[in-house]
Amino acid sequence: MSRIFSFSTRENPAEEQLIEIGDDAADPVCEALASNTARDVTAAIYQEPRTASELADYVDTSLQNVQYHLGKLETAGIIMDVGTAHAESGNQMTLYGPTHDPLILVAQSSETKPMSSEQLKDVLGVVGIIGVLSLLAQWIVTRIRATTVEVTFTGPGPEMNQPDPLWGLPAGLVVFAVGLILVAGWTWFRT
């Protein structure tokens, strides 16, 4: 059954959902995904929103079987009604789409949960800020050195170079390292 047009009542699924296998919230999810058909239906819906009849054709099963699994998946919070599709015959059909993108099931304790994409964005943002500050520090030190009066000696003798005041390391590298150490210490202290 082909669609003439469809519209969505929700543009994008919510951010990722992390479910720990040991949590009570995992029970309906695991139950809903227990069969191969339910997993095939879910995989098809995560590719693109589809109607029940499209899903029945896609996973090669009956419409009643797909509707049974859609009910369980919707109750578990894995999929939801995302809009309406209109068939050539004029009938309206529900489009199903994912509630979260992605849905992540983990089998580990809460102390060792993987980093979420939001946490990763936060870490990368902090590292970026530290990087900008280190570049700024290097630029300032370079400008200060460039504006100091240089004394040149003529004739034989050793060449006079100013040593780098920060253990022979570039100032920007020192600022970056200290910044990373401070952020790591602060993160460790918080946990």
Side-chain angles (χ1 to χ4, degrees), residues 13-190:
E15 289 290 319
E16 69 188 28
Q17 180 180 13
L18 183 68
I19 298 176
E20 189 177 320
I21 294 290
D23 286 347
D24 291 338
D27 292 342
V29 172
C30 291
E31 184 180 322
L33 294 172
S35 77
N36 287 337
T37 303
R39 289 190 299 274
D40 291 344
V41 166
T42 303
I45 289 171
Y46 267 80
Q47 289 173 359
E48 68 176 313
R50 299 174 195 252
T51 65
S53 59
E54 289 172 332
L55 289 164
D57 290 341
Y58 187 82
V59 299
D60 195 27
T61 190
S62 70
L63 180 59
Q64 292 78 15
N65 191 20
V66 166
Q67 288 173 333
Y68 167 78
H69 289 292
L70 287 172
K72 289 181 80 170
L73 293 167
E74 197 166 15
T75 300
I78 298 171
I79 65 165
M80 65 182 184
D81 173 347
V82 295
T84 305
H86 298 273
E88 290 176 355
S89 63
N91 293 336
Q92 289 186 358
M93 299 172 290
T94 301
L95 274 175
Y96 295 94
T99 55
H100 295 87
D101 192 16
L103 170 66
I104 304 168
L105 292 172
V106 293
Q108 48 194 348
S109 69
S110 59
E111 291 112 28
T112 59
K113 282 185 181 175
M115 187 177 287
S116 71
S117 62
E118 284 300 315
Q119 290 169 322
L120 183 60
K121 288 177 189 175
D122 291 345
V123 168
L124 292 176
V126 169
V127 170
I129 290 169
I130 293 170
V132 168
L133 291 175
S134 65
L135 288 172
L136 182 63
Q138 185 64 41
W139 179 78
I140 290 170
V141 168
T142 304
R143 297 288 293 171
I144 289 171
R145 285 188 182 166
T147 59
T148 59
V149 177
E150 292 187 25
V151 178
T152 56
F153 294 97
T154 57
E159 191 173 307
M160 303 289 285
N161 288 333
Q162 288 183 343
D164 201 333
L166 302 170
W167 308 291
L169 298 172
L173 180 62
V174 172
V175 169
F176 189 76
V178 169
L180 287 180
I181 290 168
L182 290 174
V183 168
W186 177 71
T187 304
W188 176 77
F189 181 72
R190 284 186 50 207

